[in-house]
Coordinates of all heavy atoms in Angstrom, one line a residue:
H46 N 10.1 -19.7 -13.8 CA 11.5 -20.1 -13.6 C 12.2 -19.0 -12.8 O 12.3 -17.9 -13.2 CB 12.2 -20.4 -14.9 CG 11.7 -21.6 -15.6 ND1 12.4 -22.7 -15.8 CD2 10.5 -21.8 -16.2 CE1 11.7 -23.6 -16.4 NE2 10.5 -23.1 -16.7
L47 N 12.7 -19.4 -11.6 CA 13.2 -18.4 -10.7 C 14.7 -18.4 -10.5 O 15.3 -19.4 -10.5 CB 12.6 -18.6 -9.3 CG 13.1 -17.8 -8.1 CD1 12.8 -16.3 -8.3 CD2 12.5 -18.3 -6.8
L48 N 15.3 -17.2 -10.4 CA 16.7 -16.9 -10.1 C 16.8 -15.9 -9.0 O 16.1 -14.9 -9.1 CB 17.4 -16.4 -11.4 CG 17.5 -17.4 -12.6 CD1 17.7 -16.5 -13.8 CD2 18.7 -18.3 -12.4
I49 N 17.6 -16.1 -8.0 CA 17.9 -15.2 -7.0 C 19.4 -15.0 -6.8 O 20.1 -16.0 -6.6 CB 17.3 -15.6 -5.6 CG1 15.8 -16.0 -5.8 CG2 17.4 -14.4 -4.6 CD1 15.2 -16.6 -4.5
S50 N 19.8 -13.8 -6.9 CA 21.3 -13.5 -6.7 C 21.6 -13.5 -5.2 O 20.7 -13.5 -4.4 CB 21.7 -12.1 -7.3 OG 21.1 -11.1 -6.5
E51 N 22.9 -13.6 -4.9 CA 23.2 -13.7 -3.5 C 22.8 -12.4 -2.8 O 22.3 -12.4 -1.6 CB 24.7 -13.9 -3.3 CG 25.2 -15.2 -3.8 CD 24.5 -16.4 -3.1 OE1 24.3 -16.3 -1.8 OE2 24.1 -17.4 -3.7
A52 N 23.0 -11.2 -3.4 CA 22.5 -10.0 -2.9 C 21.0 -9.9 -2.7 O 20.5 -9.3 -1.8 CB 23.0 -8.8 -3.7
G53 N 20.3 -10.6 -3.7 CA 18.9 -10.7 -3.6 C 18.4 -11.4 -2.3 O 17.4 -11.1 -1.7
V54 N 19.2 -12.5 -2.0 CA 18.9 -13.3 -0.8 C 19.0 -12.4 0.5 O 18.2 -12.4 1.4 CB 19.8 -14.5 -0.7 CG1 19.6 -15.2 0.7 CG2 19.5 -15.5 -1.8
L55 N 20.0 -11.6 0.5 CA 20.3 -10.7 1.6 C 19.1 -9.7 1.7 O 18.6 -9.4 2.9 CB 21.6 -9.9 1.4 CG 22.9 -10.7 1.5 CD1 24.1 -9.8 1.2 CD2 23.0 -11.3 2.9
N56 N 18.6 -9.2 0.6 CA 17.5 -8.2 0.7 C 16.2 -8.9 1.1 O 15.3 -8.2 1.7 CB 17.3 -7.5 -0.7 CG 18.1 -6.2 -0.7 OD1 18.8 -5.9 0.2 ND2 17.9 -5.5 -1.8
L57 N 16.0 -10.1 0.7 CA 14.8 -10.8 1.1 C 14.7 -10.8 2.7 O 13.6 -10.6 3.2 CB 14.8 -12.3 0.6 CG 14.6 -12.5 -0.8 CD1 14.9 -14.0 -1.2 CD2 13.2 -12.2 -1.2
H58 N 15.8 -11.1 3.3 CA 15.9 -11.1 4.8 C 15.7 -9.7 5.3 O 15.0 -9.4 6.3 CB 17.2 -11.7 5.3 CG 17.3 -11.6 6.7 ND1 16.6 -12.4 7.6 CD2 18.1 -10.8 7.5 CE1 16.9 -12.1 8.9 NE2 17.9 -11.2 8.8
Q59 N 16.4 -8.7 4.7 CA 16.4 -7.3 5.2 C 15.0 -6.7 5.1 O 14.6 -6.0 6.0 CB 17.4 -6.5 4.4 CG 17.4 -5.0 4.8 CD 17.9 -4.7 6.2 OE1 18.7 -5.5 6.8 NE2 17.4 -3.6 6.8
E60 N 14.4 -6.9 3.9 CA 13.1 -6.1 3.7 C 11.9 -6.9 4.0 O 10.9 -6.3 4.4 CB 13.1 -5.8 2.2 CG 14.2 -4.8 1.8 CD 14.2 -4.4 0.3 OE1 13.2 -4.8 -0.4 OE2 15.1 -3.7 -0.1
L61 N 11.9 -8.2 4.0 CA 10.7 -9.0 4.2 C 10.8 -10.1 5.2 O 9.8 -10.8 5.4 CB 10.2 -9.6 2.9 CG 9.9 -8.6 1.7 CD1 9.6 -9.4 0.5 CD2 8.8 -7.7 2.1
D62 N 12.0 -10.2 5.8 CA 12.2 -11.3 6.8 C 11.9 -12.7 6.1 O 11.4 -13.6 6.8 CB 11.4 -11.2 8.1 CG 11.9 -10.0 8.9 OD1 13.1 -9.8 9.0 OD2 11.1 -9.3 9.5
M63 N 12.3 -12.8 4.9 CA 12.0 -14.1 4.2 C 13.3 -14.8 3.9 O 14.4 -14.2 3.8 CB 11.3 -13.9 2.8 CG 9.9 -13.3 3.0 SD 9.1 -13.2 1.4 CE 8.7 -14.9 1.0
K64 N 13.3 -16.1 3.8 CA 14.4 -16.9 3.5 C 14.3 -17.4 2.0 O 13.3 -17.4 1.5 CB 14.5 -18.1 4.4 CG 14.7 -17.8 5.9 CD 14.8 -19.0 6.8 CE 15.0 -18.6 8.2 NZ 15.1 -19.8 9.1
R65 N 15.5 -17.8 1.5 CA 15.5 -18.2 0.1 C 14.5 -19.3 -0.1 O 13.7 -19.3 -1.1 CB 16.9 -18.8 -0.2 CG 17.0 -19.2 -1.7 CD 18.3 -20.1 -1.8 NE 19.5 -19.4 -1.6 CZ 20.2 -18.8 -2.6 NH1 19.8 -18.8 -3.8 NH2 21.3 -18.2 -2.3
K66 N 14.4 -20.3 0.8 CA 13.5 -21.5 0.5 C 12.0 -21.0 0.5 O 11.2 -21.6 -0.2 CB 13.7 -22.5 1.6 CG 13.3 -22.1 3.0 CD 13.6 -23.2 4.0 CE 13.2 -22.7 5.5 NZ 13.4 -23.8 6.4
D67 N 11.7 -19.9 1.2 CA 10.3 -19.4 1.2 C 9.9 -18.9 -0.1 O 8.8 -19.1 -0.6 CB 10.1 -18.3 2.3 CG 10.5 -18.8 3.7 OD1 10.2 -19.9 4.0 OD2 11.0 -18.0 4.4
V68 N 10.9 -18.3 -0.8 CA 10.6 -17.7 -2.1 C 10.7 -18.8 -3.2 O 9.8 -18.8 -4.1 CB 11.7 -16.6 -2.4 CG1 11.4 -16.0 -3.8 CG2 11.7 -15.5 -1.3
E69 N 11.6 -19.7 -3.1 CA 11.7 -20.8 -4.0 C 10.5 -21.6 -4.1 O 10.1 -22.1 -5.1 CB 13.0 -21.6 -3.7 CG 14.3 -20.9 -4.0 CD 15.5 -21.7 -3.7 OE1 15.3 -22.8 -3.0 OE2 16.6 -21.4 -4.1
A70 N 9.8 -21.7 -3.0 CA 8.5 -22.5 -2.9 C 7.4 -21.9 -3.8 O 6.5 -22.6 -4.1 CB 8.1 -22.6 -1.5
L71 N 7.6 -20.6 -4.1 CA 6.6 -19.9 -4.9 C 6.7 -20.2 -6.4 O 5.8 -19.9 -7.2 CB 6.6 -18.4 -4.7 CG 6.4 -17.9 -3.3 CD1 6.7 -16.4 -3.2 CD2 4.9 -18.2 -2.9
A72 N 7.9 -20.7 -6.8 CA 8.2 -20.9 -8.3 C 8.0 -22.4 -8.7 O 8.0 -23.3 -7.9 CB 9.6 -20.5 -8.6
D73 N 7.7 -22.5 -10.0 CA 7.6 -23.9 -10.6 C 9.0 -24.5 -10.7 O 9.2 -25.7 -10.4 CB 6.9 -23.8 -11.9 CG 5.5 -23.4 -11.8 OD1 4.7 -24.1 -11.1 OD2 5.1 -22.4 -12.4
V74 N 10.0 -23.8 -11.1 CA 11.3 -24.3 -11.4 C 12.3 -23.2 -10.8 O 12.1 -22.0 -10.9 CB 11.6 -24.5 -12.9 CG1 13.0 -25.0 -13.1 CG2 10.6 -25.4 -13.5
V75 N 13.3 -23.7 -10.1 CA 14.4 -22.9 -9.5 C 15.7 -23.2 -10.1 O 16.1 -24.3 -10.3 CB 14.4 -23.0 -8.0 CG1 15.5 -22.2 -7.4 CG2 13.1 -22.7 -7.3
H76 N 16.5 -22.1 -10.5 CA 17.8 -22.3 -11.1 C 18.8 -21.6 -10.2 O 18.6 -20.6 -9.6 CB 17.9 -21.7 -12.5 CG 16.9 -22.3 -13.4 ND1 17.1 -23.4 -14.1 CD2 15.6 -21.8 -13.8 CE1 16.1 -23.7 -14.9 NE2 15.2 -22.7 -14.7
N77 N 20.0 -22.2 -10.1 CA 21.1 -21.6 -9.4 C 21.7 -20.5 -10.3 O 22.0 -20.8 -11.4 CB 22.2 -22.7 -9.1 CG 23.3 -22.2 -8.2 OD1 23.9 -21.2 -8.4 ND2 23.6 -23.0 -7.2
V78 N 21.9 -19.4 -9.7 CA 22.4 -18.2 -10.4 C 23.8 -18.5 -11.0 O 24.2 -17.8 -12.0 CB 22.4 -17.0 -9.5 CG1 23.5 -17.0 -8.5 CG2 22.5 -15.7 -10.4
R79 N 24.6 -19.4 -10.5 CA 25.9 -19.7 -11.0 C 25.9 -20.8 -12.1 O 26.9 -21.1 -12.7 CB 26.8 -20.2 -9.8 CG 27.1 -19.0 -8.9 CD 28.1 -19.4 -7.8 NE 27.6 -20.5 -6.9 CZ 26.8 -20.3 -5.9 NH1 26.5 -19.1 -5.5 NH2 26.4 -21.3 -5.1
D80 N 24.7 -21.4 -12.3 CA 24.6 -22.5 -13.3 C 24.4 -22.0 -14.7 O 23.3 -22.0 -15.2 CB 23.5 -23.5 -12.9 CG 23.4 -24.7 -13.8 OD1 24.3 -24.9 -14.5 OD2 22.4 -25.4 -13.7
V81 N 25.5 -21.6 -15.3 CA 25.4 -21.0 -16.7 C 25.1 -22.1 -17.7 O 24.9 -21.8 -18.9 CB 26.6 -20.2 -17.1 CG1 26.7 -19.0 -16.2 CG2 27.9 -21.1 -16.9
G82 N 25.1 -23.4 -17.3 CA 24.7 -24.4 -18.2 C 23.3 -24.9 -18.1 O 22.8 -25.9 -18.7
A83 N 22.5 -24.1 -17.3 CA 21.0 -24.4 -17.2 C 20.3 -24.3 -18.5 O 20.7 -23.6 -19.4 CB 20.4 -23.5 -16.1
A84 N 19.1 -24.8 -18.5 CA 18.3 -24.8 -19.7 C 18.0 -23.4 -20.2 O 18.0 -23.1 -21.4 CB 16.9 -25.6 -19.4
I85 N 17.7 -22.5 -19.2 CA 17.4 -21.1 -19.6 C 18.5 -20.3 -20.2 O 18.4 -19.2 -20.7 CB 16.7 -20.3 -18.5 CG1 17.7 -20.2 -17.3 CG2 15.4 -21.0 -18.1 CD1 17.1 -19.4 -16.2
A86 N 19.7 -20.9 -20.2 CA 20.9 -20.3 -20.8 C 21.0 -20.5 -22.3 O 21.9 -19.9 -22.9 CB 22.2 -20.8 -20.1
S87 N 20.1 -21.2 -22.8 CA 20.1 -21.5 -24.2 C 18.9 -20.9 -24.9 O 17.8 -20.9 -24.4 CB 20.1 -23.0 -24.5 OG 19.9 -23.3 -25.8
G88 N 19.1 -20.4 -26.2 CA 18.0 -19.9 -27.0 C 17.0 -21.0 -27.4 O 15.9 -20.7 -27.7
S89 N 17.4 -22.2 -27.3 CA 16.5 -23.3 -27.6 C 15.4 -23.5 -26.5 O 14.4 -24.2 -26.8 CB 17.3 -24.6 -27.8 OG 17.9 -25.1 -26.6
F90 N 15.7 -23.0 -25.4 CA 14.7 -23.0 -24.3 C 13.6 -22.0 -24.6 O 13.8 -20.8 -24.7 CB 15.3 -22.7 -22.9 CG 14.3 -22.7 -21.8 CD1 13.9 -23.9 -21.2 CD2 13.7 -21.5 -21.4 CE1 13.0 -23.9 -20.1 CE2 12.8 -21.5 -20.3 CZ 12.4 -22.7 -19.7
Q91 N 12.4 -22.5 -24.8 CA 11.3 -21.6 -25.3 C 10.6 -20.9 -24.1 O 10.1 -21.6 -23.2 CB 10.2 -22.4 -26.1 CG 10.8 -22.9 -27.4 CD 9.7 -23.6 -28.2 OE1 9.0 -24.4 -27.7 NE2 9.7 -23.2 -29.5
S92 N 10.7 -19.6 -24.0 CA 10.1 -18.8 -23.0 C 9.3 -17.7 -23.6 O 9.5 -17.3 -24.8 CB 11.1 -18.3 -22.0 OG 11.8 -17.2 -22.5
D93 N 8.5 -17.0 -22.8 CA 7.8 -15.9 -23.2 C 8.4 -14.6 -22.8 O 8.0 -13.5 -23.1 CB 6.3 -15.9 -22.7 CG 5.5 -17.0 -23.4 OD1 4.9 -16.8 -24.4 OD2 5.5 -18.1 -22.8
G94 N 9.5 -14.7 -22.1 CA 10.3 -13.6 -21.7 C 10.8 -13.7 -20.2 O 10.7 -14.7 -19.6
M95 N 11.3 -12.5 -19.7 CA 11.9 -12.5 -18.4 C 11.6 -11.2 -17.8 O 11.6 -10.1 -18.4 CB 13.4 -12.7 -18.6 CG 14.3 -12.6 -17.4 SD 16.0 -13.0 -17.8 CE 16.7 -13.0 -16.1
I96 N 11.5 -11.2 -16.4 CA 11.3 -10.0 -15.6 C 12.4 -10.0 -14.5 O 12.5 -11.0 -13.8 CB 9.9 -10.0 -15.0 CG1 8.8 -10.2 -16.0 CG2 9.7 -8.7 -14.2 CD1 7.4 -10.5 -15.4
I97 N 13.1 -9.0 -14.4 CA 14.1 -8.8 -13.4 C 13.5 -7.8 -12.4 O 13.4 -6.6 -12.7 CB 15.5 -8.4 -13.9 CG1 16.0 -9.4 -14.9 CG2 16.5 -8.3 -12.7 CD1 17.4 -9.0 -15.5
A98 N 13.1 -8.3 -11.2 CA 12.3 -7.5 -10.3 C 12.8 -7.8 -8.8 O 12.5 -8.9 -8.3 CB 10.9 -7.9 -10.4
P99 N 13.5 -6.9 -8.2 CA 14.0 -5.6 -8.8 C 15.3 -5.9 -9.6 O 15.9 -6.9 -9.5 CB 14.3 -4.8 -7.6 CG 14.7 -5.8 -6.5 CD 13.9 -7.0 -6.8
C100 N 15.7 -4.9 -10.4 CA 17.0 -5.0 -11.1 C 18.0 -4.0 -10.6 O 17.7 -2.8 -10.6 CB 16.7 -4.7 -12.6 SG 18.1 -4.8 -13.7
S101 N 19.1 -4.5 -10.1 CA 20.1 -3.6 -9.6 C 20.9 -3.0 -10.8 O 20.8 -3.4 -11.9 CB 21.1 -4.5 -8.8 OG 21.8 -5.4 -9.6
M102 N 21.6 -1.9 -10.5 CA 22.4 -1.2 -11.5 C 23.5 -2.1 -12.0 O 23.9 -2.0 -13.2 CB 23.0 0.1 -10.9 CG 21.9 1.1 -10.7 SD 21.0 1.7 -12.2 CE 19.4 0.9 -11.9
K103 N 24.0 -3.0 -11.1 CA 25.1 -4.0 -11.6 C 24.5 -4.9 -12.6 O 25.1 -5.2 -13.7 CB 25.6 -4.8 -10.4 CG 26.6 -5.8 -10.8 CD 27.0 -6.7 -9.6 CE 28.0 -7.8 -10.0 NZ 28.4 -8.6 -8.8
T104 N 23.3 -5.4 -12.4 CA 22.6 -6.3 -13.3 C 22.3 -5.6 -14.6 O 22.5 -6.1 -15.7 CB 21.4 -7.0 -12.7 OG1 21.8 -7.7 -11.5 CG2 20.7 -7.9 -13.7
L105 N 21.8 -4.4 -14.5 CA 21.5 -3.6 -15.7 C 22.7 -3.4 -16.5 O 22.7 -3.6 -17.7 CB 21.0 -2.2 -15.2 CG 20.9 -1.1 -16.3 CD1 19.9 -1.5 -17.4 CD2 20.7 0.3 -15.7
A106 N 23.9 -3.1 -15.9 CA 25.1 -2.9 -16.6 C 25.5 -4.2 -17.3 O 26.0 -4.2 -18.5 CB 26.2 -2.5 -15.7
A107 N 25.4 -5.3 -16.6 CA 25.7 -6.6 -17.2 C 24.9 -6.9 -18.4 O 25.4 -7.4 -19.5 CB 25.6 -7.7 -16.2
V108 N 23.6 -6.6 -18.3 CA 22.7 -6.9 -19.5 C 23.0 -5.9 -20.6 O 23.1 -6.3 -21.8 CB 21.2 -6.7 -19.0 CG1 20.3 -6.8 -20.3 CG2 20.9 -7.8 -18.0
A109 N 23.2 -4.7 -20.3 CA 23.5 -3.6 -21.3 C 24.8 -3.9 -22.1 O 24.9 -3.6 -23.3 CB 23.6 -2.3 -20.7

Side-chain angles (χ1 to χ4, degrees):
H46 289 251
L47 173 64
L48 293 155
I49 311 175
S50 72
E51 293 304 317
V54 173
L55 292 176
N56 267 6
L57 288 171
H58 175 71
Q59 174 67 27
E60 297 182 3
L61 300 175
D62 289 323
M63 293 184 74
K64 296 180 180 178
R65 181 198 295 267
K66 65 180 181 180
D67 301 324
V68 181
E69 291 179 344
L71 299 173
D73 293 302
V74 182
V75 177
H76 300 276
N77 188 311
V78 73
R79 294 185 295 274
D80 183 12
V81 292
I85 60 174
S87 171
S89 65
F90 178 85
Q91 294 184 311
S92 79
D93 293 271
M95 180 175 183
I96 306 167
I97 304 181
C100 180
S101 67
M102 292 298 106
K103 177 183 177 182
T104 299
L105 168 67
V108 174

